[in-house]
Amino acid sequence: MNFRNWINLWLHRPLWLRMVSIVVVLGMIALMAYLFAPRVGSKIRSSQAKDDMQEARAALKVGRYPEARSAAMEVLRAGVNDPEAARIVMEAMEKLSDPRLIEVAVLVLVSENQPRVDRLHAWEICCREGAMGIVSQALPMLSEADREAVDFRLPLADRLIAERIFPDALKIIGVSEDSTAVLPVFWEQRLVKLLITMGTADGARLAQQRVVARLALNPKEAELLLPLTDEIPLRLLITEFHDALATAAPAQGESLDARLRRLRAEAGVWMTREEEIINELLSTPADPVTLARWALRCNQPLRAAALVTPEMAAADVASFHVRVEALRLAQDWTTCRATLEAAPDGVVEAEVQVDLAAVAYKLGDRAALAQASEEAIIIARLASETESMVRLAKYAEKRGIPVIARNAWVEAAKRGVGPMPLYDRLRPMVGELEAEQREEDLGFIVMAYRRLEPNNPMVMVHHHYIALLRGLLTPKLAVNNLRPLIEKSPDFLPARMTLVFAGLLDNMPSAELLTLLEDSKIDWANTSTSNRVLRGLVLASAKRDDEANAIFDAVRWDTLLPSERLVFQGLRRQFSPETAPADIEAYMPKTRAPGDEPNIDAFLPKIRRSEDLPNIDHLLPKKFIPTEDQQPR
Amino acid sequence: MKPPHRINRLAAALAILAIPAANVVAGWWMQPSQNARDERPPQWIEVRKLENFENQPPKALDMVLRTLKCSYGWMGTVSLVAGGPQINLGWFEWSDTDTPSTLEAFQHLPEECMGSSGLPLEEINPPRTFQFPDGLLVFDSTTYRRPGGGPAVHVFKAVWVAGFQGLNLRQEGFGNTDNPVRRLRFNAAATRFSPPRAAVLMASVTGMPTESLAWDTFRQHVLDPESQRPDRTDQSDQSDRSDRSDQSDQSDQSDQSDRSDRSDQSDQSDQSDQSDRPASSSASSTCHFPLSTFHFPLSTFPAVSPQFPRPSLKTER
């Protein structure tokens, strides 16, 4: 029977029969698709995922990280929950400095089916490269066992020490006042580092005493602690540390580092023979860069500079750093600038610009200072590493160029990635930005931190204030968010005044606004201009114009942010249209005359940050009771 | 009894006369009055008097003017705070063009075009009024915000049509978008709406916390910038400006004085304004600039587009 016959057979059936047959066939196809399509699709997807996984593994093995990342991400996108794919994505992103690394690391960290080794790696990435806000949010997501595990606590302790959050670091290290057990050496290392990083005489003394105790207990383990003591200033070295080093020194075969360390300790404690001992130290046959480094540790920058020639500094990164540090400490700014301008390949260019800016400041070269400050930011912006801006900001703070530090922190906030510190750490810088009326930059900072530290009430209040000023938040939402905060902490003045501001914008009844002010117990004479103007606006809204105008006439409007002036003037016109001047220009800062540039001292650090220093007395090893002669001489 | 052929003759004569009569009536109906024809859009805003004003680059402006088929226009930005609040302004005229081009001014409401450029409507506010010496403008007021957060964008839009005063985009008859083209044509025929000239003034104030503050800023910096300048020397000018300022203060006193009654009063003032105005035909507003075209780098392009040259911004009367 050929095809024509089949057609004839079909056409000669009744219409209803043909329709029913078509419906039955289509129904069967639909049923089959319903029953088997998901399984078939899943098979196809898993087959593709298998291929992608093989490709990702192979690419990772040979270092083709972009291919590894995209192949492994394909697997995850297909909905296959493969722990290995997540690990490959994380590792490839780590190698590529991908800005999404922290997000992936947090996902790996909280994933229950991920192997422990991957979660540990993710946690190390978080602690190393994540913002402190993300670390503090991720910590409660760890399981109880992970939080207690030593290998999970170690990276956190390192980060806390680097961020100078000492009380929490001590808790993580696990030192308590009543503990008498000997710490494992890796914790002892962190503890000694913490004590030295504190930068106080007490911290340095305790660090040395702990090293001495460890030397007596286990000299081999103490070898790991001794390099840390090299950063203790010469004048803070104590006799018992020197004595312990001298006792531990073998009669023969003393290593170079051990000899130099012992001589330095001797010079530190034996002040009358200091020069003679330092001469002996520097006459030790050794690599000039090593000797120069020890000369710096012995407060001999001129001799260190003499040891490292300009040619050496122009050819080698380590020599360059030592020579620059020596010249900086020797205050030989002209030579330092020449050395910096001939920096070898491999140095961090942005940091060289910071050093150049510091030198320009010392030489009073305003143009060079401005140019180096700008260059530093541009170079760091072009760098591919996510932490380049944070690193630049910290370096600029260390070198005392806060103008670069502020700009770098703002840029870091704009990027939103990198090891950003806690908001509290940047509070002084935020105050400086406000004083400089850089409200756009303030906006970048508070927006970034609203994401990084969503539970920090101070961040919330600062964010709400700026967001209200700039129309980023509806007043109603701000009122709803701030009310519970005020009920919880009635004395939290910034929150209360931000609520007043939101209430003014949200047409809150004047009586309620007045109650908010009266309950605040603010010393109005000593509060900020913004707070006083807000009070004036509340009084104006309550039709107490005389009192309000007295406040408005007394405040310095030019100290407010530009948006504050704009908004507060608008509110004033709304509440008292008869008395409010229409002339907003009167409140704007005067245009700066040409040549009337800011004093170069504006580049000097204004606010010195003070950390929360913990009580460290209990860290003294039990068998050492300090006596008079054990104190620094 | 009159012969029937005489009636037929009268009917025929009437029928013949009816054709030119209908032509005359239709001509009278369709053509606007001479006064309206001669009326030119007043130049309320003089950009050279605006502080921190930057023109839109000519290329972008040309594109917009061509799209809207208007005969003249300018766009620009008044920066209030560096990196902060700003006012984006647009002025568009349809003079001596054909009626469909003129009707571009009423093509759609602001939320339609702002929505299509990615800014969803957050709120429709009561309209704002501003009394210029040349006439009253009613500004339609709407607020937008980008999804997922961003600064509030307050849009104020006023339409001027020759022969009409204080047109309100959202009043009865305007803004019905069920079938906009049919509605517009019907209203055009019913109300003898054949304006030879129309103009739109549109402003979007970005980054102000509330609509009332945005309006206040717009009024202070654009509609009545003279009121801000303390160093005025020309006395005659001063009196003129103070009059203007008084008028403007009066016009939106209801908006400013009491916040709680603001919307009610605005509605009332709007209704009272409209009651003694000629009936306006159906119209809605025009999308003049997608927000993305606002963020051009600062430049010093000339105020007048080279494509539509015009000797001065002040209209010669």
Side-chain angles (χ1 to χ4, degrees):
Chain A
M1 194 179 282
N2 59 19
F3 182 68
R4 186 181 293 275
N5 293 342
W6 276 108
I7 293 288
N8 286 335
L9 187 66
W10 172 253
L11 291 175
H12 285 90
R13 298 302 107 191
L15 180 64
W16 68 266
L17 189 59
R18 281 183 279 163
M19 297 301 290
V20 167
S21 335
I22 288 170
V23 168
V24 166
V25 168
L26 288 177
M28 285 173 70
I29 291 171
L31 186 68
M32 297 282 277
Y34 176 75
L35 290 176
F36 298 111
R39 289 184 203 177
V40 172
S42 168
K43 286 273 178 205
I44 293 169
R45 275 199 301 277
S46 63
S47 158
Q48 283 173 346
K50 211 171 169 182
D51 294 348
D52 284 336
M53 275 308 298
Q54 277 178 352
E55 190 189 334
R57 271 188 221 114
L60 190 72
K61 206 169 181 180
V62 297
R64 296 200 321 266
Y65 300 113
E67 285 95 327
R69 176 181 58 184
S70 53
M73 279 181 86
E74 278 300 320
V75 176
L76 295 177
R77 279 199 200 104
V80 179
N81 193 1
D82 188 342
E84 193 189 358
R87 177 182 60 80
I88 291 176
V89 170
M90 185 173 71
E91 285 183 13
M93 283 185 169
E94 188 184 4
K95 298 285 183 192
L96 294 167
S97 290
D98 193 308
R100 297 166 293 179
L101 172 63
I102 296 301
E103 289 170 40
V104 174
V106 171
L107 285 177
V108 168
L109 196 64
V110 299
S111 170
E112 285 176 359
N113 63 346
Q114 206 75 27
R116 187 178 187 278
V117 64
D118 292 348
R119 280 188 283 119
L120 177 60
H121 188 195
W123 179 240
E124 283 167 352
I125 289 172
C126 277
C127 290
R128 195 178 63 239
E129 296 187 24
M132 263 317 285
I134 290 179
V135 174
S136 62
Q137 285 181 69
L139 186 61
M141 295 181 198
L142 295 177
S143 66
E144 188 69 33
D146 284 350
R147 271 204 299 276
E148 296 298 324
V150 170
D151 44 3
F152 274 80
R153 277 158 57 203
L154 280 172
L156 181 59
D158 287 340
R159 180 64 189 273
L160 289 170
I161 294 169
E163 295 288 343
R164 305 179 70 90
I165 308 173
F166 300 126
D168 290 346
L170 279 178
K171 276 184 208 158
I172 295 296
I173 291 171
V175 189
S176 60
E177 291 195 22
D178 51 353
S179 87
T180 51
V182 177
L183 279 179
V185 68
F186 46 82
W187 283 130
E188 192 72 49
Q189 271 179 305
R190 266 82 184 178
L191 185 56
V192 169
K193 192 175 180 190
L194 181 152
L195 292 167
I196 294 170
T197 311
M198 279 168 64
T200 60
D202 283 348
R205 177 175 51 80
L206 272 171
Q208 291 171 79
Q209 286 171 338
R210 290 201 75 96
V211 174
V212 169
R214 184 63 63 153
L215 265 173
L217 193 73
N218 188 338
K220 217 165 184 63
E221 285 182 355
E223 290 291 317
L224 296 169
L225 306 177
L226 285 170
L228 298 170
T229 60
D230 296 342
E231 302 310 317
I232 298 174
L234 188 69
R235 293 277 160 257
L236 296 181
L237 294 172
I238 58 173
T239 312
E240 65 185 276
F241 178 61
H242 165 254
D243 294 348
L245 288 180
T247 312
Q252 283 186 341
E254 189 182 19
S255 73
L256 177 66
D257 276 348
R259 175 183 155 78
L260 294 169
R261 190 171 295 125
R262 181 176 55 77
L263 287 171
R264 176 171 175 263
E266 197 175 337
V269 296
W270 205 339
M271 291 175 76
T272 49
R273 284 189 59 224
E274 184 183 334
E275 196 176 340
E276 186 189 330
I277 297 165
I278 289 174
N279 284 339
E280 188 187 341
L281 186 152
L282 294 180
S283 62
T284 307
D287 166 35
V289 179
T290 309
L291 275 187
R293 209 171 276 139
W294 281 96
L296 283 175
R297 288 170 186 156
C298 293
N299 300 340
Q300 301 291 322
L302 284 173
R303 296 175 77 173
L307 280 164
V308 184
T309 60
E311 293 74 28
M312 286 165 70
D316 173 51
V317 175
S319 311
F320 171 80
H321 285 307
V322 173
R323 185 170 166 79
V324 167
E325 184 66 9
L327 292 168
R328 200 177 65 77
L329 293 173
Q331 302 194 352
D332 185 354
W333 304 117
T334 316
T335 319
C336 187
R337 176 184 272 185
T339 308
L340 286 165
E341 283 169 352
D345 293 340
V347 294
V348 181
E349 266 296 318
E351 292 179 0
V352 173
Q353 293 296 329
V354 173
D355 284 327
L356 276 170
V359 170
Y361 169 71
K362 291 291 180 188
L363 292 172
D365 187 347
R366 196 191 305 263
L369 173 56
Q371 191 190 345
S373 304
E374 202 174 319
E375 283 284 316
I377 296 292
I378 292 170
I379 292 167
R381 200 184 285 151
L382 294 174
S384 59
E385 294 87 17
T386 48
E387 75 274 13
S388 63
M389 276 298 169
V390 178
R391 187 175 165 172
L392 173 66
K394 287 184 175 170
Y395 191 77
E397 280 180 349
K398 191 174 149 194
R399 285 283 177 261
I401 309 289
V403 69
I404 300 180
R406 280 196 291 273
N407 291 341
W409 283 126
V410 170
E411 289 289 331
K414 278 188 203 172
R415 282 188 175 191
V417 291
M420 298 284 285
L422 286 176
Y423 187 68
D424 287 349
R425 154 87 167 70
L426 292 186
R427 282 280 298 287
M429 193 272 296
V430 168
E432 288 169 25
L433 286 178
E434 192 185 355
E436 290 182 352
Q437 304 195 340
R438 289 166 61 177
E439 64 170 68
E440 190 180 14
D441 294 339
L442 273 176
F444 288 129
I445 298 271
V446 294
M447 299 299 159
Y449 271 94
R450 182 72 180 137
R451 185 175 61 81
L452 296 174
E453 296 176 37
N455 300 323
N456 184 338
M458 186 56 88
V459 172
M460 178 188 163
V461 168
H462 283 187
H463 167 267
H464 277 34
Y465 188 77
I466 297 283
L468 278 173
L469 263 184
R470 314 194 80 191
L472 294 162
L473 194 67
T474 56
K476 203 170 283 305
L477 184 61
V479 169
N480 290 343
N481 289 347
L482 289 165
R483 265 192 210 284
L485 197 59
I486 299 291
E487 282 162 16
K488 203 172 157 190
S489 333
D491 296 332
F492 190 14
L493 177 65
R496 186 173 283 271
M497 294 312 291
T498 306
L499 178 61
V500 168
F501 180 37
L504 283 166
L505 295 171
D506 193 36
N507 301 340
M508 197 185 274
S510 309
E512 196 177 340
L513 290 169
L514 281 169
T515 313
L516 272 173
L517 287 188
E518 282 159 11
D519 289 351
S520 64
K521 300 168 195 155
I522 302 173
D523 177 10
W524 291 109
N526 293 318
T527 189
S528 69
T529 308
S530 310
N531 287 351
R532 277 186 282 163
V533 173
L534 283 171
R535 180 171 173 246
L537 289 170
V538 171
L539 293 171
S541 75
K543 299 295 166 204
R544 286 158 63 177
D545 283 342
D546 291 343
E547 291 170 76
N549 288 335
I551 292 171
F552 293 143
D553 292 343
V555 295
R556 278 195 59 196
W557 289 78
D558 62 339
T559 58
L560 294 172
L561 296 174
S563 283
E564 281 182 319
R565 284 194 293 261
L566 200 67
V567 172
F568 291 167
Q569 275 302 304
L571 286 172
R572 191 184 171 189
R573 275 193 296 274
Q574 275 187 14
F575 298 140
S576 35
E578 310 82 28
T579 52
D583 173 22
I584 199 163
E585 291 300 314
Y587 299 102
M588 299 305 253
K590 300 288 174 284
T591 313
R592 185 172 289 147
D596 181 19
E597 287 164 11
N599 191 329
I600 197 164
D601 285 334
F603 291 96
L604 271 178
K606 289 190 194 95
I607 299 170
R608 181 163 171 76
R609 185 165 47 82
S610 60
E611 290 89 15
D612 189 9
L613 294 180
N615 177 21
I616 51 172
D617 294 340
H618 63 280
L619 300 178
L620 186 67
K622 297 293 182 252
K623 65 178 181 178
F624 282 101
I625 295 151
T627 54
E628 283 304 311
D629 58 357
Q630 285 171 346
Q631 299 299 318
R633 290 179 196 177
Chain B
M1 188 176 174
K2 294 177 182 176
H5 67 272
R6 289 187 67 181
I7 297 170
N8 291 344
R9 272 188 209 156
L10 183 61
L14 282 174
I16 289 165
L17 280 174
I19 295 167
N23 269 318
V24 168
V25 170
W28 172 77
W29 187 255
M30 296 296 288
Q31 297 302 319
S33 69
Q34 194 61 33
N35 288 341
R37 181 174 285 280
D38 287 345
E39 195 175 351
R40 285 190 168 275
Q43 298 290 308
W44 289 290
I45 311 297
E46 286 188 77
V47 287
R48 63 190 161 82
K49 290 190 177 174
L50 300 181
E51 289 191 10
N52 302 322
F53 180 82
E54 290 286 343
N55 276 291
Q56 192 80 306
K59 207 172 173 183
L61 178 66
D62 284 356
M63 190 185 73
V64 175
L65 297 185
R66 278 173 196 281
T67 310
L68 297 172
K69 302 176 187 172
C70 53
S71 54
Y72 169 70
W74 52 260
M75 289 165 72
T77 302
V78 177
S79 299
L80 304 171
V81 171
Q86 61 178 28
I87 306 173
N88 297 297
L89 287 170
W91 169 263
F92 306 94
E93 267 182 48
W94 292 264
S95 296
D96 299 323
T97 61
D98 54 311
T99 301
S101 300
T102 309
L103 295 180
E104 279 288 336
F106 303 95
Q107 202 75 316
H108 46 256
L109 290 168
E111 55 264 34
E112 292 171 39
C113 56
M114 298 299 280
S116 68
S117 62
L119 280 171
L121 178 72
E122 190 170 273
E123 199 173 356
I124 298 174
N125 308 298
R128 298 278 184 176
T129 55
F130 192 84
Q131 181 70 51
F132 286 97
D134 306 323
L136 180 77
L137 276 191
V138 178
F139 285 87
D140 178 65
S141 169
T142 40
T143 303
Y144 306 85
R145 197 183 296 273
R146 204 172 282 286
V153 180
H154 305 280
V155 172
F156 302 102
K157 175 177 175 174
V159 176
W160 175 90
V161 181
F164 293 85
Q165 271 286 309
L167 284 181
N168 180 357
L169 280 176
R170 282 178 208 274
Q171 77 178 86
E172 192 59 36
F174 282 91
N176 186 330
T177 53
D178 291 340
N179 187 338
V181 177
R182 189 190 304 157
R183 185 84 179 176
L184 199 64
R185 283 178 181 155
F186 174 78
N187 278 352
T191 60
R192 209 176 148 211
F193 181 67
S194 178
R197 289 171 185 81
V200 161
L201 174 59
M202 187 161 170
S204 73
V205 185
T206 311
M208 290 304 282
T210 60
E211 189 266 349
S212 57
L213 284 171
W215 169 254
D216 179 70
T217 308
F218 174 48
R219 198 170 56 91
Q220 287 281 323
H221 287 83
V222 177
L223 297 180
D224 195 13
E226 307 288 324
S227 67
Q228 297 186 38
R229 297 187 187 158
D231 52 347
R232 288 175 293 176
T233 50
D234 185 354
Q235 288 301 317
S236 60
D237 221 358
Q238 266 189 19
S239 59
D240 177 46
R241 286 180 199 121
S242 61
D243 289 344
R244 239 191 252 185
S245 165
D246 290 344
Q247 284 171 339
S248 66
D249 282 343
Q250 283 167 12
S251 67
D252 53 11
Q253 190 77 25
S254 60
D255 302 328
Q256 306 287 335
S257 58
D258 192 342
R259 290 175 295 155
S260 56
D261 296 330
R262 179 197 165 285
S263 55
D264 296 339
Q265 289 188 7
S266 302
D267 285 339
Q268 284 164 13
S269 67
D270 182 48
Q271 283 163 11
S272 61
D273 285 342
Q274 297 303 325
S275 60
D276 51 6
R277 276 180 219 138
S280 310
S281 52
S282 165
S284 56
S285 67
T286 311
C287 170
H288 299 300
F289 24 68
L291 202 74
S292 57
T293 60
F294 286 164
H295 304 292
F296 279 90
L298 296 180
S299 57
T300 50
F301 289 104
V304 180
S305 155
Q307 197 70 28
F308 301 93
R310 176 173 273 228
S312 84
L313 290 172
K314 269 285 186 195
T315 310
E316 292 157 15
R317 288 169 181 269

